[in-house]
Amino acid sequence: MARSNPCSDLSGTWRNELGSNLTITHVPNSSFITGWYSTAVESSPNAASISSNITGIVHNFTKAENRSLVAFNVIWRNGSSLTSWVGECISCNGEEKIYTTWVLRTLKNRKDKWMSTLINEDTFWRVDRTSHTTPVSEDTITNSSIVGKWQSETGDCISITNVIKPKDLKGSHKSPTETNGSPIFGQFDGNGTYFAVALVNVDGDRITGWSGHIYNPLEKKPVMETSWLSYKFSNLCNNPRANVNYGMYNYTYITGIINRKENVSELKVIYDYKFG
């Protein structure tokens, strides 16, 4: 029997035009996805041997029989760089493809930050349909310094409410025009002197991915510098990337569970525990 929506379950392995493999597993009872990404691109010596975990989200549309929004992210080399992909799975003429636009952000010193962001496109074809689920740990870290509310200069808010071992994040996102927020899912990494933070969010017919770095995590009000891509449901086989937006937001830490001014030594202990 034919599937009513071939894009409703993205579990399995996908390959892009450069030969990189994306393997997706579903988190039970949610729209979240996990898995791993094996790059075939030699951006640096031995880079093609790197395989990293992904976190992401899929949003199926009942009104669109053969289409689903998808976003996922990967953190490379302990957070020295990270990539977020946003796009849409479309089944046109019986062939499933994931059309994505990606933003890569790399850790840079102050004078080279203008070179920190790259944007490009990937198209993935299905290699196999091995369907399985991977539970996400609910073993939370309650005293992590990344938990709290982060707000941009435009009033855009990211609230990180849960840090889940080993390095996953959950929370919510709320734009200045929204009354209620919508869920975010992601991951983070770092070495104690910086954090890399990758997040995804779906809100209605739009899906968003952020790639960001916190350069000053031990300060009283650290800043999360992000590059983001937003993809709106297109419903177009001939032009699936018609509705992609890009921006850069800096989010300042507003409120959280730790008094940073009085507990810098405590923060250092938390970083040592997580990354040591």
Side-chain angles (χ1 to χ4, degrees):
M1 179 180 296
R3 293 170 177 261
S4 59
N5 181 359
C7 287
S8 64
D9 185 357
L10 302 185
S11 295
T13 301
W14 302 74
R15 184 169 297 143
N16 69 13
E17 62 273 23
L18 299 176
S20 298
N21 286 338
L22 166 68
T23 300
I24 295 176
T25 66
H26 274 276
V27 176
N29 304 315
S30 78
S31 59
F32 298 143
I33 58 174
T34 59
W36 55 95
Y37 189 91
S38 299
T39 181
V41 180
E42 287 279 3
S43 57
S44 59
N46 300 316
S49 63
I50 296 175
S51 181
S52 296
N53 294 335
I54 71 165
T55 55
I57 195 166
V58 173
H59 183 48
N60 297 318
F61 284 90
T62 56
K63 66 181 180 181
E65 183 178 349
N66 296 317
R67 295 163 177 84
S68 298
L69 291 177
V70 59
F72 59 94
N73 48 53
V74 171
I75 296 180
W76 311 102
R77 297 184 183 276
N78 301 114
S80 59
S81 62
L82 64 163
T83 309
S84 292
W85 288 258
V86 298
E88 187 172 357
C89 175
I90 305 179
S91 179
C92 298
N93 300 319
E95 184 178 14
E96 301 154 81
K97 294 181 182 180
I98 301 177
Y99 295 92
T100 69
T101 305
W102 54 260
V103 55
L104 168 69
R105 190 174 180 102
T106 303
L107 196 70
K108 296 288 186 182
N109 59 41
R110 183 176 297 275
K111 69 182 181 67
D112 291 332
K113 280 186 181 179
W114 65 275
M115 298 188 294
S116 65
T117 299
L118 295 175
I119 298 175
N120 212 324
E121 300 174 350
D122 278 332
T123 300
F124 294 87
W125 291 262
R126 189 186 284 279
V127 177
D128 68 57
R129 196 184 290 277
T130 304
S131 181
H132 57 279
T133 58
T134 301
V136 170
S137 169
E138 293 300 329
D139 189 3
T140 60
I141 300 170
T142 58
N143 61 344
S144 173
S145 59
I146 203 169
V147 170
K149 181 179 179 181
W150 301 76
Q151 183 170 303
S152 76
E153 56 272 29
T154 65
D156 200 74
C157 289
I158 291 174
S159 295
I160 298 174
T161 56
N162 296 89
V163 174
I164 306 164
K165 293 181 180 179
K167 297 173 184 177
D168 290 342
L169 301 171
K170 286 186 178 181
S172 64
H173 169 259
K174 187 165 74 72
S175 71
T177 59
E178 289 180 303
T179 302
N180 300 312
S182 51
I184 58 172
F185 184 44
Q187 56 181 315
F188 71 110
D189 208 337
N191 66 2
T193 62
Y194 68 87
F195 271 147
V197 182
L199 300 168
V200 294
N201 161 262
V202 63
D203 185 12
D205 61 354
R206 186 175 293 277
I207 199 162
T208 305
W210 291 263
S211 293
H213 281 105
I214 304 171
Y215 286 85
N216 52 348
L218 296 181
E219 291 188 2
K220 184 179 179 181
K221 285 195 173 183
V223 176
M224 184 194 310
E225 301 180 18
T226 73
S227 304
W228 57 264
L229 286 172
S230 180
Y231 182 105
K232 187 176 181 181
F233 181 65
S234 70
N235 200 26
L236 298 171
C237 284
N238 61 344
N239 189 14
R241 299 183 179 92
N243 301 312
V244 180
N245 292 322
Y246 161 75
M248 300 180 74
Y249 283 168
N250 291 338
Y251 294 86
T252 301
Y253 187 88
I254 302 299
T255 59
I257 60 172
I258 291 179
N259 185 324
R260 293 172 177 270
K261 185 175 181 180
E262 298 177 358
N263 292 298
V264 171
S265 60
E266 181 183 353
L267 290 177
K268 186 63 169 65
V269 170
I270 294 171
Y271 292 131
D272 289 343
Y273 165 74
K274 293 193 66 56
F275 303 115

